[in-house]
């Protein structure tokens, strides 16, 4: 069996393979609610054979959205349409995951195809918040510095959303602490200039995330999985870097985090990033080795052979795909064919499957 298609077990939850659907913003919600688009988008990837399927970044508070069209989870009602999605993903034998997020100073911006920069309050925008009153760029609004009380309130919001996600059928929760959004902003000295317990030293800058992860872990029952996505480096001198990421991963492991999802960048507008195939995989490899924690690799992973090599050589435990799964929702099934291993197909699609492909048994029929 190719390593990419082997089972991966964390706690008492088994992923059927090492392929995951990375969180991908769809900018298609109204008032934060999931709709038919989200159902079609996410369930197609579960039918396609991914082992774990994550929602897009779901904001834990209204001002935590990136755009006014972002997914939200700040109320119990938001989980009603999400529960249907989780049930369908589970029935396909995949693990349903939700990514909890807060955009911080990068909130209240236009979705990509509608414009650039800050959305005025008159057009549905809001005043963003951050660790310090430092704008991301000239076209972004200057955020309001969060008070310690509001930090505690947001930690509670993350934990409450996690508990609701579990109740709705999601077996994995990921905390989004990457790409220049709120939790990443606290980590980086380039965006965090605070002089209190949440700024300055490494211990202080990582405090918000560590306390948030601990609160979320307490809100989840033991079998639930907890991932944290980080940007392993700001790609800028004097910013957050991979050495700090390794130490952070060590501390998150002691809190009960199961896996570090290793991305990079997003906190500095004009950072020079050496983008290329697998350019972020070394971060996953180093954190896995030095922090002794499971990792996911992301970023320009496109071919089955490339993905299999990442798992086979111990660079990461999972590969999370984004753009490649937008191009082909059935990439896992194609990968299995390319790697010469018969992966189970849905019974409804068996007539199109390669010879010898087994039938996928829906989870609700397994005893």
């Amino acid at each position: 069996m190719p390593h990419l298609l082997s089972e991966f077990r964390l706690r008492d939850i088994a992923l059927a393979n090492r392929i995951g659907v990375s969180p991908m913003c769809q900018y298609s919600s109204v008032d934060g609610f999931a709709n038919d688009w989200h159902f079609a988008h996410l369930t197609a990837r579960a039918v396609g054979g991914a082992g774990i399927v994550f929602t897009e970044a779901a904001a834990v508070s209204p001002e935590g959205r990136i755009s006014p069209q972002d997914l939200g989870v700040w109320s119990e009602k938001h989980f009603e349409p999400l529960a249907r999605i989780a049930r369908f993903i589970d029935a396909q034998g995949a693990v349903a995951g939700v990514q909890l997020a807060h955009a911080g100073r990068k909130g209240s911006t236009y979705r990509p195809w509608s414009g650039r920069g800050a959305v005025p309050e008159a057009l549905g925008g809001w005043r963003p918040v951050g660790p310090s009153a430092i704008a991301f760029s000239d076209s972004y609004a200057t955020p309001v510095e969060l008070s310690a009380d509001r930090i505690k309130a947001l930690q509670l919001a993350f934990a409450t959303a996690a508990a609701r996600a579990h109740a709705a059928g999601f077996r994995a929760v990921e905390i989004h602490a990457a790409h220049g959004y709120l939790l990443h902003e606290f980590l980086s000295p380039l965006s965090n200039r605070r002089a209190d317990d949440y700024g300055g030293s490494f211990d202080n800058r990582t405090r918000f995330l560590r306390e948030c992860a601990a609160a979320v872990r307490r809100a989840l029952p033991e079998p639930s999985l907890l991932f944290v996505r980080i940007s392993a480096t700001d790609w800028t001198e004097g910013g957050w870097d991979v050495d700090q990421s390794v130490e952070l991963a060590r501390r998150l492991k002691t809190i009960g985090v199961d896996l570090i999802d290793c991305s990079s960048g997003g906190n500095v507008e004009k950072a020079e990033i050496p983008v290329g195939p697998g350019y972020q995989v070394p971060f996953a490899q180093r954190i896995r080795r030095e922090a002794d924690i499971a990792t996911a690799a992301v970023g320009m992973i496109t071919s089955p052979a490339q993905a299999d090599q990442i798992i086979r050589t111990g660079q990461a435990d999972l590969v999370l795909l984004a753009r490649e799964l937008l191009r082909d929702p059935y990439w896992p099934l194609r990968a299995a064919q390319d790697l010469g291993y018969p992966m189970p197909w849905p019974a409804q699609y068996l007539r199109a499957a390669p010879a010898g492909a087994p039938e996928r048994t829906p989870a609700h029929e397994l005893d």
Side-chain angles (χ1 to χ4, degrees):
M1 176 187 291
H3 290 73
L4 182 66
L5 304 179
S6 64
E7 181 183 274
F8 179 50
R9 185 173 291 273
L10 285 170
R11 297 185 185 261
D12 291 330
I13 294 177
L15 278 63
N17 56 59
R18 308 300 185 100
I19 304 166
V21 179
S22 195
M24 292 178 277
C25 288
Q26 299 297 294
Y27 306 104
S28 298
S29 296
V30 176
D31 296 327
F33 285 92
N35 53 43
D36 289 348
W37 177 265
H38 300 90
F39 184 88
H41 165 67
L42 293 167
T43 59
R45 275 83 199 161
V47 171
I52 186 167
V53 179
F54 274 103
T55 70
E56 65 188 85
V60 299
S61 65
E63 80 282 355
R65 292 171 292 171
I66 305 167
S67 79
Q69 294 81 27
D70 274 20
L71 190 65
V73 287
W74 60 82
S75 78
E76 196 164 357
K77 289 184 177 180
H78 283 102
F79 280 100
E80 294 174 6
L82 288 170
R84 179 179 177 232
I85 294 172
R87 286 195 301 271
F88 189 97
I89 291 171
D90 183 73
Q92 293 304 311
V95 170
V98 61
Q99 187 188 63
L100 304 180
H102 193 296
R105 66 177 183 168
K106 295 178 81 172
S108 190
T109 56
Y110 287 100
R111 58 184 175 182
W113 59 86
S114 297
R116 291 177 57 86
V119 176
E121 292 187 30
L123 296 178
W126 56 90
R127 184 76 182 274
V129 298
S132 303
I134 304 171
F136 174 68
S137 74
D138 292 342
S139 63
Y140 282 65
T142 300
V144 175
E145 182 174 311
L146 283 170
S147 67
D149 287 344
R150 291 188 72 184
I151 289 172
K152 295 296 185 183
L154 284 174
Q155 291 171 356
L156 177 60
F158 272 92
T160 300
R164 288 171 173 165
H166 171 74
F170 289 93
R171 292 187 286 162
V173 167
E174 178 170 90
I175 298 172
H176 195 353
H179 302 164
Y181 300 125
L182 184 64
L183 290 164
H184 181 186
E185 293 162 19
F186 271 83
L187 296 177
S188 175
L190 300 177
S191 46
N192 184 348
R193 306 287 176 80
R194 300 173 72 96
D196 63 1
D197 289 345
Y198 292 94
S201 67
F202 173 86
D203 282 349
N204 286 353
R205 286 183 284 109
T206 61
R207 190 183 306 278
F208 188 0
L209 174 55
R210 289 185 288 110
E211 290 179 346
C212 188
V216 169
R217 183 72 267 176
R218 288 191 299 269
L220 292 172
E222 175 62 26
S224 296
L225 304 182
L226 178 56
F227 294 7
V228 174
R229 169 165 279 195
I230 64 169
S231 282
T233 178
D234 283 338
W235 297 106
T236 302
E237 186 176 355
W240 183 258
D241 58 31
V242 68
D243 292 333
Q244 295 175 86
S245 293
V246 170
E247 180 58 26
L248 172 64
R250 291 191 184 107
R251 300 194 188 194
L252 291 174
K253 181 181 178 181
T254 67
I255 291 169
V257 171
D258 299 297
L259 180 143
I260 304 297
D261 178 358
C262 303
S263 190
S264 70
N267 197 43
V268 178
E269 183 187 22
K270 297 180 180 179
E272 295 185 6
I273 302 176
V275 176
Y279 72 105
Q280 296 175 137
V281 174
F283 301 134
Q285 181 178 22
R286 182 176 169 189
I287 290 170
R288 184 178 189 267
R289 181 180 67 246
E290 297 183 20
D292 190 27
I293 190 171
T295 61
V298 304
M300 296 193 73
I301 299 168
T302 57
S303 76
Q306 176 194 15
D308 186 61
Q309 182 187 36
I310 290 168
I311 304 301
R312 176 168 45 82
T313 56
Q315 296 176 81
D317 299 279
L318 292 177
V319 292
L320 299 182
L321 306 181
R323 288 175 175 84
E324 196 62 21
L325 282 170
L326 292 182
R327 289 185 279 265
D328 181 4
Y330 306 103
W331 189 93
L333 295 176
R334 179 170 61 81
Q337 187 172 359
D338 288 355
L339 295 171
Y341 186 82
M343 187 175 181
W345 278 57
Q348 297 90 335
Y349 286 5
L350 273 176
R351 73 192 75 173
E359 178 182 338
R360 183 185 306 163
T361 303
H364 62 268
E365 293 182 12
L366 293 174
D367 291 318

